[in-house]
Amino acid sequence: MSVEAPKVHSGFLRGLYAGNTMAVLERGLKVIARNNWLIILTGFFEPVLYLLSMGLGLGALVGAVEFYGIKVPYAAYIAPALMAVSAMNGAVYDSTMNVFFKMKHAKLYDQMLSTSLGPMDVALGEILIAMFRGLLYAVGFMIITTLLGLNLSWTALLAVPAALLIAFGFAAIGLGVTSYMKTYQHLDFVYFVMLPMFLLSATFFPISVYPEPVQWFIMALPLWHGVDMIRQLTTGLVQPSMWGHVTYFVVMIAIGATLATSRLKALFLR
Amino acid sequence: MADTRKGLLSPFVSVIRARSLTKRYGNFLAVDGIDFDIEAGESFGFLGPNGAGKSTTMRMISAQSTRTSGTLDVLGLDTNEYGPEIRAQLGIVPQADQLDEELRVFDNLTTYGRYFGFSRAHVRNRAEELLDFAQLREKRGVRVSELSGGMKRRLTIARGLMNSPKVFLLDEPTTGLDPQARHILWDRLFRLKEQGTTLVLTTHFMDEAEQLCDRLVVVDKGVIVAEGSPRSLIQQYSTREVVELRFGSSRNAWAAEQLVGIGDRLEVLPDRVLVYADHGEAALESAVHRGLEPTSSLVRRSSLEDVFLRLTGRSLIE
Amino acid sequence: MTTAVKARRWGWWFVAEHRVSHIRAYWITLLVTSLGSPFVYLLGLGLGLGILIDENQGGAGVGGVPYLTFVTPALLLSAVMQGSSQENTFGTFGGFKWTHWYITQYASPITPAQMVLGSQLGILVRTSITAACYVVVIAVAGIAPLGRALLLLPVAMLLSVAVGFAVTSWVATQVDDRGQLSFVERFVVTPLALFSGTFYPLEVLPAYLQWIGWISPLWHAVELGRWVMYGADIPGWRLVVHVLFLVALAAVTAALSIRTFERRLDK
């Protein structure tokens, strides 16, 4: 009895990629459709609650905030920031906690890698699912802020692709970071990096309240770029620095994707 | 980018071929330079206790774990380079079932089939066939968590057959199952063997190895200590029969001293003394003759357990 | 004293001890996050927002004090509420489903009531560490004198116990986790943290939202916290109501938890 030789792929992704990312995405969407849609849906409430609480309550105390020389109502000031934060949180959550859980506990990747899928198919699939979720949240949030009259210009429409760009950047880096994780405790440190970013990146108040060196530090962090980018779009106060923000995320995606790809074997083939 | 160039060896000498295969985790040497060849159509087993390096070897064969050194070719392809291509031809049944808890029984099969890139129509048909093969027809729409251990195992085996593999890898296929569930499973595996599927399995049950394997290697602490068919291993490393004598745990060592000279060989275990002899009844008679009064005695045929005891000085299931 | 008699009397203590011993596994993370978050929240949010708000309020501050002083007790108590709710959500559920602690303890002379009380005591140790770290940062940063800041501890402990029992009384009734456990955080803890007069006085909210504060253990605790830390102007009868609310919540939900534990374990 003899056995046929398999077809062989070549190139630098040899052994890593089978060109079947769609099957991974399909599985993720099936699970969302059958089980998790409620959980996914409710995840969207958090930024809305923040917007209502902070916009209504703090807005009364703060009044208007200056953004690129123009006074902006407080709710309209924080809405784009919350959108950026939500894109970051969703992407980081999906690419760290969720991936780690599926790897350690549900052994999902062991299942996938028992088939002809390669680690690259799995990684791309996970990023696509994270971005799908990001897209849902971004669109939902846009609808709410539009109803509340917090989008001050038509350029606000571009905030949706901008949120996806942010999500892509954080998901790629998150996946790379996860490849170094050993225990659940390591996740706590990820969130401990995200917390100060969330509070300090011009989310609730302009960074001009800080001394200059602190401002420079914050401007080096990715979330500040995300917040400023979306805020320029929703307020219509688009600045030349927009290109800087876009470039920042493109570079972040490139670094994250390179890191994640080079760590794929460490991540999945332990 | 895809080319249809044949594998390195054609026609294949071996379906799986390992030379000095080694896997190291930090300072721990899980697999220590083993050599083996598995032919198409045969049923091949790795027998050894827990922690012998069997599962690690299986994961390297399926290109799910990168080897540290040595060579390993599956279907003529290097496992470190051609994971997806190799796995396209393999059926894999991992030790823990690893079913998709978020999907129901039927979706577990179809989703898994889609991972191979088959069309939706194809995976649906194949899944329906395999539901019958695995005797899970009534459980089609049930949550995986509601299945019994035996059913989960059968579902995992059905899942591994979604791509109609030429080579089927099973890691501890019946561990944790009750006797009835084990026999159902063995029956399913026999059918596959009859259809010409190459079976590669690990086990720490000698009866399973004796039932299913044409040929096997005995593995201990990452090295192969013996190789052959179950029958030839027993012939080579054990006598035809074994007498098991129990004297009570405090007297076994003393009794063993009195037994010296009876049979070919003695083994003293914490709970019993084993006397290896071609004629068990005769050996038992000689023991009684010497005035020994065991609290219980049993004459049985030698098994792979005895082979393992002989080779390693330890029992398989500790 | 036989071991059975000892367990009858001290079972709750053994349960607490067991839970505290598990803090050792993650004490570094606990310490880093417990010391780090007050630093980040106070110096980031309190100070940053404070500059903006105090400027806009023209020096009047919020409730007669600078914004940083106003928001500090609320941040501490909000962290305690989150810690307690998390530990109770996953600790209680895990005790039945993942770690099987309660199943194991039920095989010993320890009673379900002792499990409920002992677990809460163990969790109280963890949330007290969080609160104590805040107190240190408050005193070092000079937001309040140490003596005043220390008074926040009993308030924090009362809140931790009230929230803890309340969460446990619901979580203990949950048999499978299909994601609803995260609803505690999403639909209860986060909204409470946001609408309980934490970042601004409750009265600033529109009237139709103020009821959230009245039923929120966090708001009652925050009012007490503001009173002990900087003597916020609150009538005595209201202080009594705040204490009574928290004590009653703890007592009722503790009783409910014990009943659920007894029924669930007796199978």
Side-chain angles (χ1 to χ4, degrees):
Chain A
M1 128 130 236
S2 80
V3 175
E4 294 252 330
K7 287 182 181 177
V8 164
H9 293 256
S10 51
F12 83 104
L13 287 176
R14 188 180 64 192
L16 293 176
Y17 186 54
N20 192 13
T21 298
M22 279 314 289
V24 178
L25 185 61
E26 204 177 294
R27 186 258 170 207
L29 295 181
K30 194 179 271 178
V31 169
I32 291 175
R34 306 243 162 117
N35 299 338
N36 295 352
W37 60 270
L38 189 64
I39 299 164
I40 302 273
L41 194 73
T42 56
F44 153 76
F45 282 106
E46 187 165 311
V48 176
L49 285 177
Y50 265 93
L51 179 63
L52 292 179
S53 165
M54 300 297 205
L56 284 171
L58 273 182
L61 297 181
V62 176
V65 181
E66 198 166 296
F67 183 61
Y68 290 109
I70 307 284
K71 285 270 183 190
V72 177
Y74 191 64
Y77 181 82
I78 60 169
L82 291 169
M83 190 169 173
V85 168
S86 148
M88 168 181 87
N89 282 344
V92 172
Y93 182 85
D94 269 349
S95 64
T96 58
M97 176 95 167
N98 255 356
V99 165
F100 197 69
F101 179 83
K102 287 180 192 168
M103 182 162 61
K104 279 272 191 194
H105 194 81
K107 302 281 178 194
L108 181 68
Y109 306 124
D110 277 341
Q111 297 166 37
M112 291 181 171
L113 293 170
S114 298
T115 71
S116 57
L117 289 176
M120 186 80 177
D121 299 275
V122 178
L124 275 179
E126 287 297 346
I127 290 179
L128 284 176
I129 292 165
M131 291 187 56
F132 171 74
R133 210 161 139 161
L135 179 69
L136 283 185
Y137 290 171
V139 171
F141 198 71
M142 277 310 285
I143 293 172
I144 300 273
T145 51
T146 307
L147 291 177
L148 293 175
L150 301 177
N151 291 315
L152 311 178
S153 158
W154 68 270
T155 49
L157 278 177
L158 295 172
V160 171
L164 281 183
L165 190 68
I166 297 170
F168 196 175
F170 277 103
I173 293 277
L175 211 53
V177 169
T178 306
S179 74
Y180 291 95
M181 281 187 196
K182 296 265 186 304
T183 69
Y184 278 96
Q185 260 72 51
H186 291 157
L187 283 170
D188 291 331
F189 287 103
V190 171
Y191 295 108
F192 202 64
V193 173
M194 285 166 65
L195 179 70
M197 269 216 288
F198 164 56
L199 291 173
L200 306 180
S201 300
T203 16
F204 296 115
F205 47 88
I207 57 172
S208 55
V209 303
Y210 297 118
E212 201 160 314
V214 179
Q215 291 187 27
W216 283 108
F217 173 72
I218 293 171
M219 286 162 73
L221 299 175
L223 184 60
W224 178 79
H225 291 273
V227 168
D228 203 63
M229 173 165 66
I230 296 195
R231 192 172 278 148
Q232 289 185 20
L233 293 170
T234 59
T235 55
L237 301 168
V238 180
Q239 311 292 315
S241 63
M242 176 63 73
W243 296 112
H245 298 326
V246 173
T247 311
Y248 187 100
F249 278 100
V250 169
V251 171
M252 185 169 165
I253 290 166
I255 292 174
T258 312
L259 177 69
T261 309
S262 70
R263 293 284 300 168
L264 278 177
K265 286 198 170 182
L267 189 57
F268 295 124
L269 303 178
R270 294 186 183 201
Chain B
M1 167 151 143
D3 72 65
T4 52
R5 159 172 73 90
K6 286 243 170 181
L8 301 171
L9 296 164
S10 181
F12 295 113
V13 179
S14 311
V15 176
I16 301 171
R17 180 187 159 90
R19 292 292 176 270
S20 310
L21 180 60
T22 304
K23 177 75 184 191
R24 185 186 284 279
Y25 293 103
N27 284 327
F28 176 65
L29 203 52
V31 176
D32 187 5
I34 60 174
D35 298 335
F36 59 87
D37 288 276
I38 300 174
E39 313 287 325
E42 80 170 326
S43 178
F44 185 90
F46 292 92
L47 177 74
N50 293 332
K54 298 175 308 220
S55 296
T56 308
T57 306
M58 291 293 254
R59 286 178 61 81
M60 286 193 284
I61 292 175
S62 55
Q64 288 175 288
S65 173
T66 312
R67 65 176 180 267
T68 310
S69 64
T71 62
L72 177 61
D73 290 343
V74 176
L75 302 165
L77 296 173
D78 183 337
T79 52
N80 273 9
E81 303 290 325
Y82 295 98
E85 288 82 359
I86 290 169
R87 287 192 300 270
Q89 309 290 324
L90 298 183
I92 296 170
V93 177
Q95 188 170 351
D97 290 313
Q98 295 169 1
L99 293 162
D100 198 327
E101 301 271 343
E102 294 182 288
L103 297 173
R104 288 166 194 260
V105 168
F106 189 71
D107 287 342
N108 255 276
L109 295 174
T110 52
T111 305
Y112 196 79
R114 289 286 287 163
Y115 293 156
F116 288 92
F118 294 118
S119 73
R120 284 191 188 84
H122 176 89
V123 296
R124 268 200 296 274
N125 291 336
R126 182 73 182 146
E128 295 288 359
E129 282 169 34
L130 288 169
L131 274 186
D132 291 327
F133 176 82
Q135 297 163 303
L136 288 170
R137 164 87 23 217
E138 307 82 69
K139 301 288 175 187
R140 197 177 184 279
V142 164
R143 276 181 198 282
V144 169
S145 54
E146 287 160 26
L147 298 181
S148 72
M151 290 175 182
K152 280 187 184 167
R153 210 63 189 140
R154 297 207 300 274
L155 179 57
T156 308
I157 288 178
R159 190 184 66 179
L161 294 169
M162 277 304 290
N163 61 328
S164 314
K166 307 286 185 336
V167 183
F168 204 31
L169 306 180
L170 301 116
D171 196 358
E172 301 280 355
T174 65
T175 297
L177 298 188
D178 61 55
Q180 196 199 354
R182 295 179 75 194
H183 282 283
I184 297 178
L185 257 178
W186 285 345
D187 166 62
R188 299 290 113 176
L189 294 177
F190 266 125
R191 289 179 195 213
L192 289 174
K193 192 161 137 54
E194 277 167 11
Q195 291 160 14
T197 308
T198 309
L199 295 184
V200 180
L201 59 104
T202 75
T203 183
H204 64 268
F205 295 122
M206 59 261 166
D207 55 343
E208 184 160 272
E210 282 170 16
Q211 287 262 355
L212 293 176
C213 300
D214 303 325
R215 201 159 62 84
L216 54 88
V217 288
V218 181
V219 204
D220 185 39
K221 294 176 180 161
V223 294
I224 291 174
V225 289
E227 179 184 346
S229 68
R231 182 191 296 260
S232 72
L233 283 171
I234 292 168
Q235 272 173 5
Q236 194 179 344
Y237 294 102
S238 190
T239 51
R240 200 173 66 92
E241 291 185 330
V242 189
V243 190
E244 297 199 359
L245 299 170
R246 290 169 199 265
F247 296 93
S249 50
S250 57
R251 295 176 62 224
N252 282 335
W254 167 84
E257 285 172 23
Q258 314 300 311
L259 286 167
V260 172
I262 301 178
D264 295 4
R265 201 164 55 86
L266 287 175
E267 286 282 356
V268 188
L269 301 181
D271 62 333
R272 59 194 192 274
V273 180
L274 304 181
V275 180
Y276 288 90
D278 283 330
H279 300 284
E281 290 294 344
L284 179 57
E285 239 167 70
S286 327
V288 176
H289 240 44
R290 293 189 181 181
L292 289 168
E293 290 172 3
T295 53
S296 78
S297 63
L298 168 75
V299 177
R300 59 166 176 81
R301 296 181 72 85
S302 271
S303 72
L304 286 170
E305 173 84 45
D306 301 298
V307 173
F308 189 80
L309 192 61
R310 169 74 187 277
L311 290 168
T312 67
R314 286 175 297 118
S315 104
L316 268 170
I317 303 163
E318 282 165 336
Chain C
M1 201 159 47
T2 70
T3 55
V5 173
K6 214 169 167 181
R8 275 246 168 266
R9 204 166 295 166
W10 292 102
W12 56 275
W13 176 257
F14 303 146
V15 174
E17 210 177 82
H18 173 241
R19 194 169 283 263
V20 171
S21 74
H22 279 266
I23 294 179
R24 226 177 293 154
Y26 62 96
W27 68 272
I28 298 184
T29 325
L30 180 65
L31 208 66
V32 170
T33 47
S34 294
L35 269 176
S37 34
F39 191 74
V40 172
Y41 269 105
L42 286 174
L43 300 186
L45 202 61
L47 211 61
L49 258 182
I51 292 174
L52 211 60
I53 291 173
D54 293 342
E55 209 169 74
N56 192 55
Q57 299 293 314
V62 180
V65 290
Y67 183 70
L68 181 60
T69 312
F70 170 82
V71 83
T72 295
L75 290 175
L76 181 155
L77 292 165
S78 170
V80 165
M81 173 177 74
Q82 280 174 21
S84 175
S85 129
Q86 255 174 29
E87 290 281 331
N88 276 282
T89 305
F90 296 102
T92 301
F93 189 81
F96 286 109
K97 290 286 279 192
W98 301 324
T99 61
H100 303 291
W101 287 349
Y102 298 134
I103 317 290
T104 314
Q105 287 163 1
Y106 196 54
S108 80
I110 292 170
T111 65
Q114 291 173 328
M115 294 175 204
V116 171
L117 300 176
S119 299
Q120 204 55 252
L121 184 63
I123 290 168
L124 184 60
V125 171
R126 183 225 179 279
T127 51
S128 298
I129 294 174
T130 303
C133 288
Y134 252 100
V135 168
V136 170
V137 175
I138 291 170
V140 170
I143 299 168
L146 181 62
R148 284 284 191 152
L150 276 174
L151 291 176
L152 287 168
L153 278 182
V155 179
M157 290 161 91
L158 182 57
L159 177 69
S160 169
V161 170
V163 169
F165 281 131
V167 169
T168 284
S169 68
W170 178 74
V171 170
T173 63
Q174 301 300 302
V175 178
D176 280 309
D177 176 26
R178 301 217 190 285
Q180 77 276 30
L181 289 186
S182 61
F183 287 6
V184 175
E185 176 103 28
R186 209 163 266 175
F187 290 122
V188 182
V189 175
T190 304
L192 288 187
L194 288 171
F195 293 93
S196 294
T198 26
F199 297 107
Y200 44 83
L202 194 61
E203 299 75 45
V204 170
L205 276 182
Y208 60 86
L209 284 177
Q210 290 186 16
W211 61 271
I212 301 177
W214 301 336
I215 59 162
S216 159
L218 181 60
W219 179 67
H220 293 281
V222 165
E223 291 281 289
L224 288 171
R226 289 191 172 130
W227 181 68
V228 298
M229 198 185 96
Y230 63 85
D233 186 21
I234 300 168
W237 66 270
R238 258 175 63 178
L239 294 173
V240 175
V241 169
H242 294 322
V243 174
L244 283 182
F245 180 93
L246 292 169
V247 170
L249 179 64
V252 171
T253 54
L256 282 175
S257 305
I258 291 171
R259 205 182 58 168
T260 309
F261 267 57
E262 278 167 350
R263 288 186 184 168
R264 187 164 179 177
L265 289 166
D266 184 16
K267 266 188 189 162

